[in-house]
Amino acid sequence: MSDYYLFILFLLFILAISDLIVGVSNDAVNFLNSAIGSKVTSRRNIMIVASLGILAGATFSSGMMEVARKGIFNPEYFYFSDIMVIFIAVMITDIILLDLFNTFGMPTSTTVSIVFELLGAAVAVSILKIAADGTSLNTLGDYINLSSALVIISGIFISVLIAFAIGSIVQYFSRLLFTFNTDRHKTWARTIWSALALTALTYFLLIKGVSGASFVSDGLVERIQGNTMITLGLSYFIWNILLLGLQAFFKVNVLKIVVLFGTFALAMAFAGNDLVNFIGVPIAGYESYLAWSDSGVSAMAYDMTVLSEPIRSKTYMLVAAGIIMIITLWFSKKARSVTETEVNLGRQNEGNERFKSNKLSREVVRYSLYLGDRINVILPNSWLEKAEKRFQTLNEKDPKELINNRPAFDLVRASVNLTIASILIAFATSLKLPLSTTYVSFMVAMGTSLADKAWGRNSAVFRLSGVFNVIGGWFFTAILAFTAAAAFATFIHYFDIKAIGILVLLAIFLISRTFILHKKKEKRKTARKQFEQRTATISFSESIRETSENVIITLELISDTYEQALLGLLKEDRQLLQKSNKNIMLLKERQRELKGQLFGLIKRLEESPTESGRLYLLIYDLQQDIVQSISLIVETCNEYVLNSMDPVRRINVKPIQEVLKTSKSYLAQLIGMIKNQDLQNLAELLAIKKDVFILLEKSLSNQIIGIHQGSLGMRNSLLMFTILLESKDLIAVAARFAKLYDRIKYTPGEKEVYLIKSN
């Protein structure tokens, strides 16, 4: 039996390393987004500062480890065997859940996940114990530390409102003070604000944070905290002198110091507050194993009262965890995906929006506009005019500058994000409350974005939709964490080592699948970024080459999808139809990307902007039409087969096969002509198009005759009408691509000059 629990303990620490990796990948957004979004310095320098913060914070997190031991359940009511079931179920659930969110680039709360996993597993084991003892479920409250759990949970969710409100208020007055024009920033204003921010950060890092360090004595902590006001005043004085000197003698932008120091502080607060989420459970398991192994009592009889006693974790364990977190921070691609989501939602400039609008976001924006109009009536016009001037953004000096090369927001907002979030999180840590760093940092960032008017009327519904999606994901985290941990704990309780083996294999399988999925997403994202950031300008010849490459990929996808849909229909093959559905999703995604790129592409055109711009717009329009046609064909074929309709009538099978054969041949020839940039045989292609049209018209006529004679049913006929009519549109639009490129001519004697005939 000892070997069994030793194996579980070993597995807990292996899972802890994995949990550190997936957890940091998600939580990196909390302390990186402001520095990266403002581009305060190179990414390498930002990572160095954050790494130092994590290493420092890891050594301050010992006091927080009590949450995993007694924050959610009352350990004296559980035996050692029960505790190990709870802990292993929690760790497996946590890895699967966090990796899932990382894959989709959605920031979630590692604190909420660990709290609800502990709660779910503990409730499940408690119910099993109550059932075995034959007692009433009313005694469940004895097992679960309800008061502590409610304080933790309520604190987490209340922090959302507090963080958003404080972030909005502080950012509003900060912008009134500084404006968007950095040249107009007064030295005294920057010094006062920066000194206040740095003093607040210093206070929480050196005074509040030090109390959790495993190597600091209680006497030293008391002496430091007893001189709080002196330390604050001295700190503010020193920062003022230092910042004035840096500005006067070295022309340093002191806001950069605030952002970098804030990044360090927030990384430190993150490590101090969130390290419990990753290694708190394994360390509690290790302490439980040591206590049980020395007792000589059976695992199913040894109660875990020992977990109620205050225990300081070993410093070397905390430092080792910090090093793993730092390595993950530098090499995790999923961490970048999560960071990009938050930066994108808070950026000041326009761009392609990741999230679609929904009814809730539209209603909130509409009501906010109405409320804003009512408030404007009350406030004096003089105040509104002055405030409006302070919030006036600067005009772009270079209209051809790439949007992605600009900072998402300025140093003023970045400093507010980091200062407010660091203070709130570090304060909660000092009270030993596992405040969600994700919730706080995200909501502060969203509050400052709102106050900074980053959510203009042209982007507000999309940004709000993104915020609601992220918040909805948080609630989903809580529900899923509780349910999965409870199910896993129950499974392990009944099947012991077999259940653990199955769950570990499940975790490995799911993580492998999400790794492949994320790799594909990153590949597409990298290709898109290379396309957008390749050069500052685009010549007409480059626009022709790029659009033709895009058209070729689109037509090849459409040809394959067309074949899969029609063969899937004839054979009633759902796998083929599923492939056609995936292709449609890919086609629509490519079309959305092209739509999002149009504005930036047209701004970067170098020569003949009108003609080049028309080319991009015409290509987009034609692709929109052809994707719509193939989508209707695929949708109709899928619906027909999935609803188990009668097989396609024998009289219609041959026409479909003929249409498929001629259409495939036609598309293949068209693709070859565009690929080789040889449209000399365009007349032959148009002749083939005419033959395909004749075939389609003949099939339509036969269908009408069959309906009139009563030999063809309604469902089958409606299916054929959709296929034939949309095929006709598809063939017609495809021909327009060839005609469009045929209108582009090279003008001899003039290098790289192309013209599009208007006739």
Side-chain angles (χ1 to χ4, degrees), residues 351-530:
N352 194 21
E353 302 294 343
R354 174 181 171 182
F355 296 93
K356 294 182 179 180
S357 67
N358 53 44
K359 186 176 181 181
L360 179 59
S361 66
R362 290 192 290 269
E363 290 299 323
V364 170
V365 169
R366 193 175 292 116
Y367 179 75
S368 299
L369 290 172
Y370 171 80
L371 189 62
D373 291 339
R374 302 283 74 77
I375 293 174
N376 288 341
V377 172
I378 300 171
L379 295 175
N381 289 331
S382 57
W383 164 260
L384 292 173
E385 289 174 2
K386 289 179 181 178
E388 187 65 28
K389 288 180 181 178
R390 307 297 289 181
F391 279 86
Q392 190 69 41
T393 56
L394 300 176
N395 294 325
E396 298 171 12
K397 295 181 180 179
D398 183 6
K400 293 182 178 180
E401 181 187 3
L402 291 179
I403 291 174
N404 289 336
N405 284 342
R406 305 188 198 111
F409 40 81
D410 66 0
L411 293 172
V412 174
R413 178 147 43 114
S415 65
V416 173
N417 285 346
L418 291 162
T419 304
I420 300 303
S422 295
I423 291 172
L424 291 174
I425 294 167
F427 180 69
T429 304
S430 70
L431 298 178
K432 296 185 180 179
L433 292 174
L435 192 72
S436 170
T437 55
T438 301
Y439 287 13
V440 171
S441 61
F442 181 82
M443 294 310 295
V444 167
M446 294 305 101
T448 58
S449 301
L450 176 66
D452 229 10
K453 297 187 177 181
W455 297 356
R457 292 191 64 167
N458 291 331
S459 62
V461 289
F462 307 109
R463 306 282 177 90
L464 268 176
S465 178
V467 172
F468 291 148
N469 272 281
V470 172
I471 294 175
W474 295 345
F475 287 100
F476 179 69
T477 300
I479 296 169
L480 189 59
F482 182 93
T483 306
F488 288 177
T490 304
F491 188 38
I492 294 169
H493 175 82
Y494 282 113
F495 298 100
D496 294 330
I497 192 69
K498 292 179 182 178
I500 294 173
I502 291 171
L503 291 175
V504 169
L505 290 175
L506 175 64
I508 293 171
F509 171 75
L510 292 176
I511 291 172
S512 301
R513 294 289 295 175
T514 56
F515 174 79
I516 295 170
L517 177 62
H518 186 265
K519 191 174 181 179
K520 289 180 179 178
K521 288 177 63 179
E522 285 300 302
K523 188 176 180 181
R524 292 198 297 269
K525 188 186 295 181
T526 301
R528 184 171 66 249
K529 284 187 176 180
Q530 288 175 347

Side-chain angles (χ1 to χ4, degrees), residues 60-134:
F60 286 79
S61 62
S62 180
M64 290 295 297
M65 294 300 160
E66 294 182 10
V67 174
R69 293 196 294 266
K70 60 181 181 180
I72 304 301
F73 54 84
N74 297 314
E76 62 271 20
Y77 285 88
F78 293 87
Y79 297 125
F80 174 68
S81 58
D82 303 322
I83 288 293
M84 297 305 276
V85 168
I86 292 172
F87 287 166
I88 194 69
V90 165
M91 293 303 295
I92 294 173
T93 305
D94 205 49
I95 290 172
I96 294 174
L97 188 62
L98 293 180
D99 185 70
L100 180 66
F101 276 87
N102 290 345
T103 300
F104 292 99
M106 295 291 283
T108 191
S109 171
T110 54
T111 304
V112 168
S113 63
I114 202 73
V115 166
F116 278 89
E117 284 155 4
L118 282 167
L119 187 60
V123 167
V125 172
S126 300
I127 291 173
L128 291 171
K129 287 175 66 65
I130 290 170
D133 295 340

Side-chain angles (χ1 to χ4, degrees), residues 257-275:
I257 297 175
V258 176
V259 172
L260 290 174
F261 193 84
T263 300
F264 173 87
L266 197 53
M268 183 174 172
F270 149 76
N273 191 75
D274 279 15
L275 193 58

